[in-house]
Amino acid sequence: MRIDIITVLPELLKSPFEASILKRAIEANLVEIHFHNLRDYTTDNYKSIDDTQFGGGAGMVMMIEPIDKCISNLKSQRDYCEVIYMTPDGETLNQGIANHISIKENIIILCGHYKGVDQRVRDYLITREISIGDFVLSGGELAAAVLCDAVIRLIPGVLGNETSALTDSFQDNLLAPPIYTKPREYKGWKVPELLFSGNLPKIEEWREEQAYKRTKARRPDLLED
């Protein structure tokens, strides 16, 4: 998979990809990450990428021209499956969306800033709009990093245990069940005895029951889908 991220703050985005799972995925050539500074596609001496709104109103708007030039340049070199715009009013990111994007070959992610982008960008250049929640950030960079993390860990070979991602919360519309490790007892707090029984079918049944109970208590909306 190749991910091209268009941003006005590439330095803000680099650190999440320089450690842990994302770094290992890049070093193993399982994913390519490329950052593109939008200011490199401007035409004036000030490298302007925003201007005031037509019709008046508070806040600056990202102009269509540098965005179009950057996307067009990338598309001239390869085909892209998705051009994603990170925006608070997009569809809310969930595990299903991450699963779907993880099988794509090439994607572009556009990070918004200020009041957002010229509507024509959304109308003619973007194929999908994604939000990470009902709140507003200073820019789309952190949201893009969250999307990338959620997607990249699903690529085969990225995680050490191939089944790990398949048992994460939300994969089957359930939250993950309780999990335990050593010590067996701590301050009188004990691990359920069933987990030491060796009866794998019973353990799996218990985990499914616990996952359902936890989901019903915390996220009953997931059971409605």
Side-chain angles (χ1 to χ4, degrees):
M1 169 181 275
R2 176 186 170 111
I3 302 176
D4 289 274
I5 305 176
I6 302 173
T7 171
V8 294
L9 293 171
E11 63 276 11
L12 179 62
L13 263 171
K14 292 179 180 179
S15 61
F17 299 92
E18 295 175 345
S20 191
I21 291 172
L22 299 187
K23 179 183 179 182
R24 294 198 297 270
I26 294 169
E27 291 177 342
N29 295 317
L30 296 172
V31 63
E32 292 181 43
I33 305 292
H34 298 271
F35 305 106
H36 304 275
N37 192 331
L38 192 58
R39 297 191 188 279
D40 293 338
Y41 294 86
T42 56
T43 56
D44 66 334
N45 292 333
Y46 299 101
K47 295 188 177 297
S48 304
I49 52 89
D50 63 293
D51 210 328
T52 56
Q53 300 184 50
F54 285 137
M60 305 294 280
V61 179
M62 294 178 71
M63 296 184 291
I64 186 172
E65 186 175 6
I67 295 173
D68 180 46
K69 285 183 176 180
C70 184
I71 292 176
S72 295
N73 179 60
L74 290 172
K75 285 187 171 182
S76 71
Q77 301 172 50
R78 67 193 59 83
D79 293 328
Y80 285 90
C81 308
E82 296 275 15
V83 180
I84 299 169
Y85 174 47
M86 304 306 300
T87 173
D89 58 350
E91 59 181 326
T92 303
L93 178 63
N94 58 32
Q95 196 63 42
I97 293 174
N99 288 341
H100 180 74
I101 295 176
S102 72
I103 63 175
K104 304 295 184 181
E105 185 175 353
N106 302 313
I107 65 172
I108 294 172
I109 301 176
L110 171 63
C111 302
H113 266 276
Y114 314 112
K115 291 294 287 186
V117 300
D118 186 302
Q119 182 62 37
R120 290 168 292 184
V121 173
R122 304 174 75 166
D123 291 342
Y124 301 108
L125 304 179
I126 299 300
T127 64
R128 190 165 201 168
E129 301 184 354
I130 294 178
S131 167
I132 62 167
D134 295 339
F135 50 88
V136 178
L137 298 173
S138 299
E141 283 76 17
L142 298 181
V146 168
L147 175 63
C148 289
D149 190 288
V151 167
I152 292 171
R153 65 190 308 278
L154 296 171
I155 298 173
V158 170
L159 296 182
N161 183 344
E162 291 294 336
T163 64
S164 179
L166 299 179
T167 57
D168 286 339
S169 291
F170 308 112
Q171 283 290 11
D172 51 4
N173 273 6
L174 294 175
L175 300 182
I179 54 176
Y180 301 89
T181 189
K182 298 177 181 178
R184 184 166 178 165
E185 181 176 345
Y186 181 72
K187 292 186 176 181
W189 306 328
K190 298 180 179 180
V191 176
E193 285 298 320
L194 175 64
L195 297 179
F196 304 103
S197 68
N199 189 332
L200 297 184
K202 281 290 186 182
I203 292 174
E204 188 59 31
E205 181 181 348
W206 176 84
R207 284 175 172 159
E208 290 177 0
E209 291 175 352
Q210 293 299 313
Y212 178 81
K213 288 180 180 178
R214 176 172 284 184
T215 305
K216 186 176 182 180
R218 300 183 180 183
R219 291 291 306 277
D221 57 297
L222 294 174
L223 301 175
E224 298 171 2
D225 294 339

